[in-house]
Amino acid sequence: MRRIWLDNLRWVIILLVVLHHLVCFFNSAGVPMNVNAPGIPALDAIAYFCYPWFMPCMFLLAGISARYALEEQSTGRFLAARVRKLLIPFAAGVVLLGIPLVSFAFAVKGGSVGEMIAYFPSPAIALFFLALMGMGPQWFLLALFLVTLLLLPLRRLDRSGRFYDLCGRAGMPVLLGLWLLFWAGSQVLNATNRYLLYFVLFSAGYFLFAHDEVTQRLQRFRLPLLGASGALLVWVLARWFGKSFADAAFVEDPVTTLFGWCMTLAAVGCARAWGDRENRLTRYISARGFALYQFHYLVLTVCTWGVTNWLNLPAGWNYLLCLGLTLAICLGLYELVSRVPVLGDLFALRRKGKGGR
């Protein structure tokens, strides 16, 4: 059964991902990007706000969706769908988006892809590593596929559903106490995008947050959770503003992780309360959210470089123009790719009907 609030929260986070990467390209905190342009330091606050929670929340939402999907289809059909919607788009993105991204980044920074290829024993090996270097946001698709595979053995251990039923009784003290797992997961494998944390959150989504009773509790406590998140964000900004928000020290900090967990809970509660409705605009954005996620990083990289090198605009206009161009181009790419049979299948964007996929 489809949950509208889940779809709405997902596309809102995808828009935050785009906004976060935009701020990163203009950051003043010393975070290296493919393109680093001078920006407005105060807007770096957006990155400090987004980075601790938006991708963990995406894995939690994916776990909820996996539960609903497996209630309606067999494991075999579910895995086939994951290959089609995650693994194939990951591979297509790495090759068709990653290689152009790295090639462009090399050119911008004054390097040569040819020189890099010369260091490898064969061009094929060089292209393989070139693609991986340009993985960009595609890592999420691979990570989500891997944590899905890891979930299946756990699912077999709970064939009776007793653990799932027990999770449905969790009250707010338990939900808040899960911050300890959030914090512990942030300490391990951080150099590889915190995969342990993402597996824990995906599993929590599957066993715990898929319960309507649990999300209803978060809905009731959404305002206190928002208030706590706001207070913790002030603390985070006071402690870390001006320092790299991509460093492990920031990600692993107890207050940062507490903010990230409270914000994740608040996002779910607010979405359940205020996002369980749709209209033509929300359906339009939701149908194109996956395309926006896949295409935005390459498009944003090129737009940022072009706007800052070809135009002499105030910094504020650079942000607005790059964001507007990126959204417009990505939406245009969706309309194109979703209509081309092979490309549509590669990026899992085949149109099934008017205005949707």
Side-chain angles (χ1 to χ4, degrees):
M1 179 179 176
R2 177 173 172 248
R3 268 67 169 183
I4 296 173
W5 69 266
L6 198 63
D7 292 339
N8 285 334
L9 180 54
R10 188 179 291 112
W11 67 253
V12 167
I13 293 178
I14 288 173
L15 290 180
L16 286 178
V17 170
V18 178
L19 185 60
H20 171 75
H21 284 144
L22 172 71
V23 170
C24 287
F25 283 129
F26 291 98
N27 83 88
S28 303
V31 177
M33 302 294 292
N34 290 327
V35 174
N36 283 102
I40 302 174
L43 293 182
D44 286 357
I46 296 172
Y48 293 95
F49 164 72
C50 291
Y51 197 61
W53 71 274
F54 65 169
M55 294 312 297
C57 190
M58 285 285 277
F59 280 94
L60 188 144
L61 299 181
I64 297 174
S65 297
R67 181 81 201 191
Y68 298 153
L70 283 165
E71 288 176 350
E72 299 178 353
Q73 57 188 273
S74 67
T75 301
R77 289 186 60 189
F78 175 76
L79 282 176
R82 295 303 92 186
V83 170
R84 187 176 69 254
K85 296 180 179 180
L86 295 175
L87 198 57
I88 292 176
F90 162 75
V94 166
V95 175
L96 300 178
L97 301 175
I99 292 178
L101 174 63
V102 175
S103 301
F104 182 80
F106 265 85
V108 167
K109 295 182 180 297
S112 168
V113 174
E115 293 175 356
M116 190 203 80
I117 292 177
Y119 284 100
F120 290 87
S122 73
I125 296 175
L127 289 174
F128 173 77
F129 282 99
L130 193 66
L132 291 182
M133 288 170 61
M135 188 183 301
Q138 302 301 118
W139 71 266
F140 171 69
L141 307 184
L142 178 61
L144 187 52
F145 182 78
L146 294 176
V147 297
T148 300
L149 294 181
L150 292 174
L151 173 73
L152 296 180
L154 289 182
R155 184 170 177 263
R156 290 183 180 180
L157 293 175
D158 190 43
R159 290 177 181 175
S160 65
R162 291 182 180 177
F163 181 68
Y164 176 69
D165 293 338
L166 179 64
C167 288
R169 303 173 191 171
M172 284 305 300
V174 173
L175 297 177
L176 290 171
L178 287 176
W179 162 72
L180 291 173
L181 288 179
F182 190 99
W183 172 78
S186 296
Q187 312 303 304
V188 182
L189 300 181
N190 183 57
T192 53
N193 283 311
R194 298 185 289 171
Y195 284 150
L196 178 61
L197 170 62
Y198 296 145
F199 174 64
V200 169
L201 291 168
F202 183 82
S203 301
Y206 182 88
F207 288 105
L208 179 59
F209 291 87
H211 287 278
D212 286 337
E213 299 86 350
V214 171
T215 54
Q216 285 170 358
R217 292 187 188 102
L218 295 178
Q219 177 180 343
R220 290 196 296 271
F221 284 91
R222 65 189 182 278
L223 295 182
L225 287 169
L226 274 179
S229 299
L232 289 167
L233 178 60
V234 172
W235 181 285
V236 168
L237 291 175
R239 169 74 175 82
W240 291 101
F241 192 81
K243 302 176 183 178
S244 175
F245 47 80
D247 284 353
F250 172 73
V251 174
E252 298 170 2
D253 182 77
V255 178
T256 300
T257 56
L258 184 58
F259 161 69
W261 182 238
C262 286
M263 193 61 221
T264 298
L265 297 180
V268 173
C270 291
R272 182 67 195 261
W274 301 322
D276 203 21
R277 58 184 69 96
E278 62 180 348
N279 53 43
R280 183 177 299 179
L281 178 60
T282 62
R283 286 192 295 269
Y284 177 88
I285 301 175
S286 181
R288 290 150 179 81
F290 191 53
L292 182 60
Y293 182 85
Q294 293 186 86
F295 298 145
H296 81 274
Y297 197 74
L298 173 59
V299 174
L300 183 58
T301 301
V302 176
C303 287
T304 303
W305 179 84
V307 166
T308 55
N309 282 273
W310 296 342
L311 303 177
N312 186 22
L313 298 174
W317 283 105
N318 287 337
Y319 285 87
L320 293 175
L321 187 55
C322 290
L323 179 61
L325 285 172
T326 297
L327 294 177
I329 293 172
C330 288
L331 292 176
L333 285 173
Y334 166 83
E335 298 300 332
L336 173 64
V337 172
S338 64
R339 288 172 166 82
V340 179
V342 175
L343 281 178
D345 290 332
L346 287 176
F347 288 101
L349 298 176
R350 287 295 298 277
R351 296 166 71 93
K352 294 183 178 180
K354 185 177 181 181
R357 66 176 179 91

